[in-house]
Amino acid sequence: MQISFYNPTRLVFGKGKLKELGSYAKEYGKKALIVYGGGSIKKNGVFDSAVASLKDAGIDFVECGGIEPNPKIDSVRRGIDLIRKNGCDLIIAIGGGSAMDCSKAIGAGALYDGDPWDMIFHGQENVYIPTRCMPIITVPTLAATGSEMNPGAVISNSETHEKSFVQTDALFPKVAVVDPTLTLTVPKNQTGYGVCDIIVHLTESYFNGVDGTPIQDEFALATIKNCMQYGIKAYNNGSDLEAREQVQWSSILALNGFVNCGTNGAFPVHMIEHTVSGIYDITHAAGLAIINPSWMRFTITHGGNVDKFARFASYLFGIQNDGDKVKTALAGVDKYEEFLKEIGCPVRFSELNIDESNYEKIADITLKVIHDENGKLPARPALSKEDILTILKNAS
Amino acid sequence: MQISFYNPTRLVFGKGKLKELGSYAKEYGKKALIVYGGGSIKKNGVFDSAVASLKDAGIDFVECGGIEPNPKIDSVRRGIDLIRKNGCDLIIAIGGGSAMDCSKAIGAGALYDGDPWDMIFHGQENVYIPTRCMPIITVPTLAATGSEMNPGAVISNSETHEKSFVQTDALFPKVAVVDPTLTLTVPKNQTGYGVCDIIVHLTESYFNGVDGTPIQDEFALATIKNCMQYGIKAYNNGSDLEAREQVQWSSILALNGFVNCGTNGAFPVHMIEHTVSGIYDITHAAGLAIINPSWMRFTITHGGNVDKFARFASYLFGIQNDGDKVKTALAGVDKYEEFLKEIGCPVRFSELNIDESNYEKIADITLKVIHDENGKLPARPALSKEDILTILKNAS
């Protein structure tokens, strides 16, 4: 077992923590760029509360709103311009994964002379790996991405239809101010998508990681179970604070590197989905909900770690293993797919009116973005172009 | 649920990692104070390997050996003198909890004008809380304390028989270089004590924490189970690397703040034991092995969270709850005590020739070091002097 773990983000989690934003922010700067999305935070009072806390702490700010759901590199460029023009020394991201991811690319891009697309891994020869970033404070308003406490960002290029990532130590936020009351007003569909997203973050590492990680496996399963149990509650009753808290705590755990420490799992479902939402601009988690069960079924029957799939089935759904592990494993996927439907997720491309016409393109772009020495998509086992096409077709 | 989490220590874990010590050390300094214990690292080659790696990286060093098992404040003072006389700019702790804890107190004390005992919490009016510390790299040679990746240190005062702690953000090591092969030569008794120590770190938070932390509870139980499963293997066959790896990974998880995130558990068994080993200079974990089962039995029958004890019994030992939770809970403690015997731990004071003569003194010193507004030892439920005496007597 080889583990390399580092996560210096300070986590402040709990009901009412938004009020403390200013007290953390003043440790890092005097003029903040506030990065946010479609403006719901202006309607539900979150923006006002954040600004009140910043004012109390003597912090001025500039706004960078309108970050789109799959944040575009153009938004990153816009944010960088705003920082340079206004002399901001701090970034505060208030929103979901898009606002937070965009903030990371802005924070690193503002300290880089070249174009920020250089840092997004898309098969280019010379990737710019940021070693510096402006201080960032994240304030998630959605339980899903885990971006609040990790150093990753996913950015899209609307010209090339590429959607890919940058992930490096410099991008860790300084502080994650996580106030679960901010998620009480998240609509039903976004709540379900968030739960789906969290679970896939956990399944990717659990199924694609190395062997010999018994504690990490238990942690992943326990977090999935908790997320499912409270996720359905949060979906059915958005104002259930306990459920919101547990789902948000699961979202942080799922992708802050701790639960999957040392598993070195690939993220094949994410890689394929990034291409899909890069082309169709669908919600990330909707794409995951469609691709993940199909990837699971393919993997179970094509050399995946069937023991882990069977354990997934028995731990989460109480499916008894009657000796036929493949059958047990597949039954677990069926149950998982049923759960996805229960939380309002699509499970076939047809539900989003996506036909087969771009499957070849999806496979090609995915493999262009990332592939191993055999030209395959890293996964356990690695996936050829044909494999990806089969997974996509089975999800039609 | 209120969580405040921060742990900026970089963890580098795996077979052979000791060779990389120099490459990490050179990021932080040019002249290291190497803090170590009784000298076993000079016999088993660990010291030579560490020094070779430091030399390759161009790092000079000064030795501060002979740190005793329950590190004394005098050793801290000696380390501070060595740093000042030799101009060291970095501390490397190679050893068990004592070398690592001592290093933290040295690192903070070297940047403080007063006496380092000021920072050890012992009921004094003005505690010095360190805000600065020299960079520290930890290289644990024992899986037990978890000190390698946390900001706590336990230091004893041989004059006053006080043994207490300092814990603050400034004391986080910069890097924990954890090479499980270093633990292959740990003798049987120390291996068993380490396993005991790890489990108690987990039970303290699990049993004394707040309600409503389902994921943390599962994480704690999973880590205890893993530690027991591999702990007995490591005890019976010291050269089983997989077992050593899993036990060491458990030791890190048990006390780096992540598993018990937000549980706010008190550490009553530790507090009582610190006083016992402050008086008798026994091995910390031997004291824990004696006190923990007695504390558990007392707590189960005096208002503790019986549900959690019953779950502990069923999760770890498969004891079916037949409706009488107290009976189930107590049966779990019996099994846990049996396990402690299997790994060579004492479970009664008489085994260490400790009689009742100092019980009053133990209770008094413990409550002097820490007590709540009612004069009781923080725990769930809090413990009066009488309660502590009962726990001690039942462990005679």
Side-chain angles (χ1 to χ4, degrees):
Chain A
M1 190 159 66
Q2 298 280 326
I3 298 173
S4 180
F5 180 76
Y6 175 64
N7 189 329
T9 300
R10 184 180 295 276
L11 171 66
V12 184
F13 180 107
K15 180 183 173 182
K17 288 296 177 192
L18 179 59
K19 286 182 191 145
E20 299 175 18
L21 174 61
S23 67
Y24 294 104
K26 72 180 177 189
E27 301 288 319
Y28 299 101
K30 290 187 170 167
K31 191 170 188 181
L33 183 76
I34 300 183
V35 179
Y36 60 93
S40 63
I41 63 166
K42 293 235 171 160
K43 291 170 204 145
N44 61 23
V46 169
F47 184 84
D48 290 342
S49 298
V51 164
S53 178
L54 292 175
K55 269 192 184 163
D56 283 350
I59 294 167
D60 198 6
F61 67 91
V62 174
E63 293 182 43
C64 178
I67 304 301
E68 53 282 278
N70 290 309
K72 304 289 183 291
I73 193 69
D74 286 338
S75 297
V76 174
R77 294 182 185 121
R78 177 163 63 91
I80 292 170
D81 283 346
L82 282 168
I83 282 184
R84 290 179 179 161
K85 275 181 195 150
N86 295 284
C88 299
D89 51 10
L90 164 69
I91 300 174
I92 297 175
I94 307 179
S98 54
M100 296 189 280
D101 286 11
C102 201
S103 294
K104 293 174 189 171
I106 292 170
L111 303 181
Y112 172 60
D113 286 338
D115 184 75
W117 188 242
D118 296 351
M119 75 178 86
I120 307 301
F121 194 63
H122 60 281
Q124 72 270 51
E125 244 179 68
N126 295 309
V127 183
Y128 167 64
I129 309 283
T131 53
R132 297 186 305 154
C133 185
M134 294 178 56
I136 295 170
I137 295 181
T138 51
V139 184
T141 58
L142 195 68
T145 167
S147 186
E148 56 272 16
M149 198 183 174
N150 72 39
V154 176
I155 303 294
S156 296
N157 188 320
S158 43
E159 290 167 32
T160 61
H161 294 307
E162 286 162 323
K163 177 178 177 180
S164 189
F165 66 95
V166 53
Q167 183 167 335
T168 187
D169 284 354
L171 302 190
F172 275 109
K174 295 292 184 194
V175 188
V177 177
V178 183
D179 186 336
T181 64
L182 274 53
T183 67
L184 289 171
T185 54
V186 172
K188 217 173 170 80
N189 63 339
Q190 291 296 335
T191 301
Y193 288 151
V195 170
C196 169
D197 199 11
I198 297 164
I199 294 171
V200 183
H201 292 154
L202 293 157
T203 59
E204 296 269 55
S205 302
Y206 174 78
F207 289 122
N208 292 292
V210 297
D211 285 329
T213 56
I215 299 188
Q216 292 91 327
D217 292 349
E218 289 306 295
F219 283 10
L221 291 174
T223 310
I224 294 171
K225 193 172 205 168
N226 196 70
C227 185
M228 287 178 65
Q229 185 187 335
Y230 288 98
I232 192 80
K233 285 186 187 178
Y235 180 76
N236 289 324
N237 176 13
S239 57
D240 181 339
L241 180 60
E242 186 193 10
R244 294 291 195 182
E245 284 177 337
Q246 290 299 328
V247 172
Q248 194 150 29
W249 180 220
S250 301
S251 80
I252 295 168
L253 289 168
L255 213 57
N256 73 353
F258 203 87
V259 163
N260 59 359
C261 213
T263 58
N264 292 319
F267 273 60
V269 175
H270 272 74
M271 298 314 298
I272 298 171
E273 197 293 319
H274 285 167
T275 311
V276 174
S277 54
I279 293 174
Y280 293 102
D281 215 7
I282 60 171
T283 301
H284 171 53
L288 294 175
I290 293 165
I291 300 164
N292 204 31
S294 183
W295 170 82
M296 287 177 163
R297 293 188 179 106
F298 180 87
T299 298
I300 289 168
T301 51
H302 291 80
N305 188 332
V306 178
D307 283 336
K308 280 201 168 180
F309 281 97
R311 172 112 173 95
F312 176 85
S314 65
Y315 185 96
L316 294 173
F317 305 107
I319 299 169
Q320 295 299 319
N321 185 346
D322 63 359
D324 186 342
K325 279 186 209 164
V326 170
K327 197 177 131 197
T328 306
L330 289 171
V333 180
D334 290 345
K335 284 282 184 189
Y336 164 58
E337 198 171 65
E338 275 175 38
F339 174 79
L340 291 173
K341 290 181 194 168
E342 281 174 39
I343 56 168
C345 291
V347 294
R348 292 292 181 274
F349 281 121
S350 57
E351 296 176 60
L352 301 184
N353 299 314
I354 293 175
D355 63 19
E356 303 201 0
S357 57
N358 279 318
Y359 284 180
E360 287 266 343
K361 187 174 169 184
I362 292 167
D364 286 337
I365 295 181
T366 304
L367 288 169
K368 176 180 175 253
V369 168
I370 189 166
H371 56 77
D372 64 16
E373 65 280 10
N374 301 314
K376 292 185 172 185
L377 181 63
R380 184 173 178 178
L383 303 169
S384 68
K385 181 178 172 183
E386 280 310 307
D387 296 339
I388 297 173
L389 287 172
T390 304
I391 290 166
L392 293 170
K393 281 174 192 161
N394 290 344
S396 292
Chain B
M1 190 159 65
Q2 298 280 327
I3 297 174
S4 180
F5 180 77
Y6 175 64
N7 189 330
T9 300
R10 183 179 295 276
L11 171 66
V12 184
F13 180 107
K15 180 183 172 181
K17 288 294 177 193
L18 180 58
K19 286 182 191 145
E20 298 174 20
L21 173 62
S23 68
Y24 294 104
K26 72 180 178 191
E27 301 287 321
Y28 299 100
K30 291 189 168 163
K31 191 170 189 180
L33 183 77
I34 301 183
V35 178
Y36 61 92
S40 63
I41 62 167
K42 293 235 170 158
K43 291 170 202 143
N44 61 22
V46 169
F47 185 84
D48 290 342
S49 298
V51 163
S53 178
L54 293 175
K55 271 195 182 160
D56 283 350
I59 295 166
D60 198 6
F61 67 91
V62 174
E63 293 182 44
C64 177
I67 305 299
E68 52 283 281
N70 290 309
K72 304 291 182 294
I73 193 67
D74 286 337
S75 296
V76 174
R77 294 182 185 122
R78 176 164 62 91
I80 292 170
D81 283 346
L82 282 168
I83 282 184
R84 290 178 179 162
K85 276 184 194 147
N86 295 283
C88 299
D89 51 10
L90 165 69
I91 300 173
I92 297 175
I94 309 179
S98 54
M100 295 189 281
D101 285 11
C102 200
S103 294
K104 292 174 189 171
I106 293 171
L111 303 181
Y112 172 60
D113 286 338
D115 184 75
W117 187 241
D118 296 351
M119 74 178 85
I120 307 301
F121 194 64
H122 60 281
Q124 71 269 52
E125 243 179 69
N126 295 309
V127 182
Y128 167 64
I129 309 284
T131 53
R132 297 186 305 155
C133 185
M134 294 179 56
I136 295 170
I137 296 181
T138 51
V139 184
T141 58
L142 195 66
T145 167
S147 186
E148 55 272 15
M149 196 181 174
N150 72 38
V154 176
I155 303 293
S156 296
N157 188 319
S158 44
E159 289 166 33
T160 62
H161 294 307
E162 286 162 322
K163 178 177 176 180
S164 189
F165 65 95
V166 52
Q167 182 168 334
T168 188
D169 284 354
L171 302 191
F172 275 109
K174 295 291 183 194
V175 188
V177 178
V178 184
D179 187 335
T181 63
L182 273 52
T183 67
L184 289 170
T185 54
V186 172
K188 217 173 172 76
N189 64 339
Q190 290 297 335
T191 302
Y193 288 151
V195 170
C196 170
D197 198 11
I198 297 164
I199 293 171
V200 183
H201 292 155
L202 293 156
T203 58
E204 295 267 56
S205 302
Y206 174 78
F207 289 121
N208 293 293
V210 297
D211 285 328
T213 56
I215 299 188
Q216 293 91 326
D217 292 349
E218 290 305 295
F219 283 9
L221 291 174
T223 309
I224 294 172
K225 193 172 203 167
N226 196 70
C227 185
M228 287 178 64
Q229 185 187 335
Y230 289 98
I232 192 81
K233 285 186 186 177
Y235 180 77
N236 288 324
N237 176 13
S239 57
D240 181 339
L241 180 61
E242 187 194 8
R244 293 291 195 181
E245 284 177 337
Q246 291 299 330
V247 172
Q248 193 149 30
W249 180 220
S250 302
S251 80
I252 294 168
L253 289 168
L255 214 56
N256 73 353
F258 203 87
V259 163
N260 60 357
C261 214
T263 59
N264 292 319
F267 273 60
V269 175
H270 271 73
M271 298 314 298
I272 299 171
E273 197 293 318
H274 286 167
T275 311
V276 173
S277 54
I279 293 173
Y280 293 102
D281 215 10
I282 60 171
T283 301
H284 172 53
L288 294 176
I290 293 165
I291 301 164
N292 204 31
S294 182
W295 170 81
M296 287 176 164
R297 291 187 180 109
F298 180 87
T299 298
I300 289 167
T301 51
H302 290 79
N305 188 332
V306 178
D307 284 335
K308 281 201 167 177
F309 280 97
R311 172 110 174 96
F312 176 85
S314 64
Y315 185 96
L316 294 173
F317 305 107
I319 299 170
Q320 295 300 319
N321 184 347
D322 63 0
D324 186 341
K325 278 187 208 163
V326 170
K327 198 178 129 196
T328 306
L330 289 171
V333 181
D334 290 345
K335 284 282 185 189
Y336 164 59
E337 198 172 66
E338 276 175 38
F339 174 80
L340 291 173
K341 290 181 195 168
E342 281 174 38
I343 56 169
C345 291
V347 294
R348 292 292 180 276
F349 282 122
S350 56
E351 296 176 59
L352 301 185
N353 298 316
I354 294 174
D355 62 22
E356 303 201 3
S357 57
N358 279 318
Y359 285 178
E360 287 266 344
K361 186 174 170 185
I362 292 168
D364 287 336
I365 295 181
T366 303
L367 288 169
K368 176 181 174 251
V369 168
I370 189 165
H371 56 78
D372 64 17
E373 65 280 12
N374 301 314
K376 292 186 173 184
L377 181 64
R380 185 175 177 176
L383 303 169
S384 67
K385 183 179 172 183
E386 280 309 306
D387 297 338
I388 298 173
L389 287 172
T390 305
I391 290 166
L392 293 171
K393 281 174 193 162
N394 290 343
S396 292

